[in-house]
């Protein structure tokens, strides 16, 4: 009887301990999340402040007077081009780059995961090495090549490289495809399917979470890409949003922080919508890739 009572007490104490740890964990996570999201909230709310008021009341989160003037001024843009043009440019760059990166990475990932060819290990190692090199290392050689091709000043240096596979997405697809049983391929071959048919009719439908995950990351990275636009674009008509935002900042004169914050807030909407609608696939793709392989 005493042993039973002691056992119930220990079980109860264990549950209470787990509950206390859970409460502490959630409190810590909530506080950390508030610290991380505060700059973003500050920027969004500051976009409703008067430009002269932003710096003067930087310590105040809530605007004293809400105003949409920054959005009107910011949307007018500069050099005769409004931000509608820059948003269109960003959608073109991010959209075409994402299509190319996802499609090419899926094909290459399938090749590494399912097809045996000469020097497969060597090319796989090269692919991994390309993931480890920061863009700044290859920035100058790439610029020289694209300049000799006559591509500088256009979208080609930004979009075309995405159509030849991206290391992270290739690795993601390889791990996901390796988790698919080979029996499906063998059964399809017995039914007369070729390698291409297996890929397009079977594999693609089974790696949807991986493809969506690649698409989300690719779109986000290309949408936020500032350095590539800085290197290759010189015509304001072709500027993406990420580069156009810089035009509101002028170290030699006054910077229109209000307009910049307003347009930066608008630039977050596409990313937020994509993440909100595709979150299920993103979590599934990353979790499945971590388990399989």
């Amino acid at each position: 009887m005493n042993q039973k009572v002691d056992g119930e007490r220990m079980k109860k104490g264990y549950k209470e301990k787990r509950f206390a740890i859970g409460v502490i964990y959630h409190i810590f996570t909530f506080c950390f999340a508030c610290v991380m999201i505060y700059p973003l909230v500050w920027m969004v709310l500051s976009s409703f402040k008067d430009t002269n008021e932003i710096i003067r009341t930087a310590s105040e989160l809530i605007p004293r007077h809400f105003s949409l003037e920054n959005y009107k001024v910011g949307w007018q843009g500069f050099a005769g081009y409004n931000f509608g043009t820059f948003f269109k440019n960003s959608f073109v760059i991010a959209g075409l780059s994402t299509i190319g990166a996802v499609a090419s990475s899926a094909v290459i990932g399938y090749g590494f995961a399912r097809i045996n060819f000469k020097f497969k290990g060597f090319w796989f190692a090269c692919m991994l090495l390309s993931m480890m090199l920061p863009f700044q290392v290859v920035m100058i050689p790439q610029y020289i090549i694209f300049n000799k091709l006559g591509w500088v000043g256009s979208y080609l240096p930004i979009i075309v490289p995405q159509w030849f596979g991206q290391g992270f997405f290739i690795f993601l697809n390889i791990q996901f495809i390796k988790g698919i049983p080979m029996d499906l391929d063998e059964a399809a071959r017995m039914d007369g399917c070729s390698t291409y048919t297996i890929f397009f009719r079977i594999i693609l439908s089974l790696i949807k979470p991986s493809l969506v995950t690649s698409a989300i990351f690719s779109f986000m990275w290309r949408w936020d890409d500032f350095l590539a636009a800085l290197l290759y674009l010189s015509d304001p008509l072709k500027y993406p949003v990420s580069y156009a935002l810089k035009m509101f900042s002028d170290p030699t004169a006054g910077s229109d922080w209000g307009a910049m914050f307003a347009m930066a807030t608008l630039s977050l909407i596409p990313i937020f919508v994509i993440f909100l609608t595709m979150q299920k696939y993103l979590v599934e793709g990353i979790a499945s890739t971590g388990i399989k392989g």
Side-chain angles (χ1 to χ4, degrees):
M1 185 69 178
N2 291 333
Q3 292 180 352
K4 185 177 180 180
V5 172
D6 291 341
E8 290 179 354
R9 287 178 178 175
M10 289 179 62
K11 189 176 181 180
K12 183 179 180 181
Y14 177 72
K15 288 183 177 179
E16 291 177 350
K17 183 179 179 181
R18 286 193 61 185
F19 177 77
I21 293 174
V23 171
I24 294 173
Y25 170 78
H26 283 88
I27 292 175
F28 174 79
T29 304
F30 176 77
C31 293
F32 183 74
C34 289
V35 173
M36 294 296 293
I37 203 173
Y38 180 82
L40 178 62
V41 175
W42 184 88
M43 182 194 74
V44 173
L45 292 178
S46 294
S47 68
F48 295 100
K49 295 180 179 180
D50 182 79
T51 300
N52 298 324
E53 183 185 351
I54 292 175
I55 304 301
R56 190 171 63 251
T57 61
S59 60
E60 299 178 11
L61 185 62
I62 308 298
R64 297 176 182 177
H65 305 285
F66 280 86
S67 173
L68 296 176
E69 186 63 26
N70 290 327
Y71 288 87
K72 296 178 182 178
V73 174
W75 189 260
Q76 293 174 1
F78 54 88
Y81 305 109
N82 61 34
F83 256 79
T85 301
F86 306 136
F87 272 97
K88 181 193 70 176
N89 296 339
S90 288
F91 276 114
V92 170
I93 294 172
L96 294 177
S97 298
T98 297
I99 293 172
V102 173
S104 59
S105 298
V107 173
I108 298 171
Y110 176 71
F112 276 120
R114 285 292 200 261
I115 301 174
N116 293 319
F117 53 90
K118 266 190 174 184
F119 307 114
K120 179 178 176 179
F122 171 76
W123 292 117
F124 183 74
C126 289
M127 186 271 294
L128 292 179
L129 286 174
S130 70
M131 295 172 57
M132 303 173 190
L133 286 174
F135 177 71
Q136 289 77 5
V137 174
V138 297
M139 180 173 62
I140 295 176
Q142 281 187 355
Y143 183 88
I144 294 173
I145 293 172
F146 293 141
N147 188 43
K148 288 184 177 181
L149 291 173
W151 288 4
V152 174
S154 68
Y155 294 146
L156 293 176
I158 304 174
I159 297 175
V160 171
Q162 306 302 317
W163 285 77
F164 291 89
Q166 297 298 306
F168 175 70
F169 303 147
I170 294 171
F171 185 77
L172 191 69
N173 287 312
I174 291 173
Q175 295 302 105
F176 209 94
I177 294 172
K178 282 184 176 180
I180 300 174
M182 285 291 295
D183 296 344
L184 291 175
D185 297 49
E186 294 171 1
R189 290 189 187 280
M190 291 178 64
D191 290 336
C193 293
S194 65
T195 301
Y196 300 101
T197 306
I198 293 172
F199 174 69
F200 286 107
R201 292 193 176 183
I202 298 175
I203 300 299
L204 278 183
S205 61
L206 295 176
I207 63 171
K208 184 178 178 181
S210 176
L211 297 177
V212 175
T213 302
S214 301
I216 292 172
F217 279 115
S218 178
F219 188 89
M220 289 172 59
W221 292 343
R222 298 286 75 78
W223 183 270
D224 295 333
D225 190 7
F226 169 80
L227 187 56
L230 178 65
L231 283 174
Y232 300 116
L233 301 178
S234 56
D235 185 0
L237 181 62
K238 298 179 180 178
Y239 285 173
V241 172
S242 57
Y243 189 34
L245 288 172
K246 174 186 174 293
M247 298 297 104
F248 287 110
S249 177
D250 185 1
T252 62
S255 299
D256 195 343
W257 298 111
M260 178 189 290
F261 292 159
M263 294 302 100
T265 300
L266 290 181
S267 71
L268 293 175
I269 294 177
I271 301 296
F272 179 76
V273 171
I274 289 174
F275 182 80
L276 195 65
T277 55
M278 300 294 183
Q279 184 180 12
K280 179 183 72 173
Y281 297 104
L282 178 63
V283 174
E284 183 180 350
I286 294 176
S288 300
T289 305
I291 294 172
K292 298 176 182 178

